[in-house]
Amino acid sequence: GSSAPARRWVPIGNSNAFYGNFNGNGYTISGLYVNNSDYYTGLFGCCGGSITNLKIKNSYINGKDLYTGAVVGNIYGSSDAKAYVSNCSVSSSVVKGTNYTGGVIGKSSSYVSVYKCSNSAKVTGKDYVGGITGDALVSGSKYYSNTNSGTISGEWGIGGVCGYMSTSKPTSE
């Protein structure tokens, strides 16, 4: 049998979000092992920026609570600072979470565009489970050219690309 890797990855950006722009330059991360007991599970935990041109394969991502995705657990933007995830793929991997679980992104909030992403990983969760994104708030966001061929399972709000999508009017302060 196989054993877990000796080193567990600590997600970039948890209660303090990552606000940069990460370009993977087409490189592949293989053997990513995330076994998290908190919110925000993935290569990136919580992000207010952008993640592009990255492949993740032969990896195991296990989130114990909310917001689990291989690339990013939770990503959000604003009308002034739009965020995006583009040209990212997840393959030959397992992504497990509870609520808001996606092969690529656990939850994407308003002003986040997601395009040219693919998932072939096995994704399991409880509620809001999707191949690309578990839950997407699509106000000010765009989704296009995303594909899923992975097996997605859960109890409620399950989908191939997005488990659940909703819109809301942005609130003013």
Side-chain angles (χ1 to χ4, degrees):
S2 62
S3 60
R7 296 184 192 268
R8 181 176 64 98
W9 178 257
V10 176
I12 300 166
N14 279 311
S15 54
N16 293 317
F18 171 79
Y19 284 103
N21 297 307
F22 179 85
N23 185 340
N25 288 319
Y27 281 95
T28 299
I29 294 174
S30 186
L32 178 66
Y33 174 63
V34 186
N35 196 1
N36 205 5
S37 61
D38 203 349
Y39 296 162
Y40 311 125
T41 301
L43 175 65
F44 289 85
C46 188
C47 178
S50 299
I51 304 165
T52 61
N53 306 317
L54 178 67
K55 297 177 180 87
I56 294 176
K57 73 175 196 174
N58 301 327
S59 295
Y60 177 81
I61 293 87
N62 182 24
K64 300 273 194 288
D65 212 321
L66 306 176
Y67 316 121
T68 302
V71 174
V72 60
N74 184 31
I75 185 168
Y76 57 87
S78 68
S79 57
D80 295 330
K82 292 179 171 64
Y84 58 93
V85 177
S86 69
N87 200 27
C88 291
S89 68
V90 180
S91 62
S92 303
S93 299
V94 172
V95 180
K96 293 167 60 176
T98 303
N99 297 333
Y100 309 112
T101 303
V104 178
I105 303 163
K107 179 177 177 69
S108 65
S109 295
S110 299
Y111 303 104
V112 176
S113 292
V114 179
Y115 51 97
K116 295 183 181 174
C117 289
S118 66
N119 175 66
S120 61
K122 180 179 180 183
V123 182
T124 60
K126 185 173 183 274
D127 296 339
Y128 309 104
V129 184
I132 301 298
T133 304
D135 181 53
L137 186 58
V138 295
S139 303
S141 300
K142 292 184 173 111
Y143 269 70
Y144 60 91
S145 299
N146 299 297
T147 59
N148 174 63
S149 60
T151 303
I152 313 304
S153 60
E155 295 177 19
W156 189 89
I158 314 304
V161 172
C162 287
Y164 187 80
M165 293 184 110
S166 62
T167 61
S168 71
K169 292 185 176 182
T171 56
S172 57
E173 298 187 327

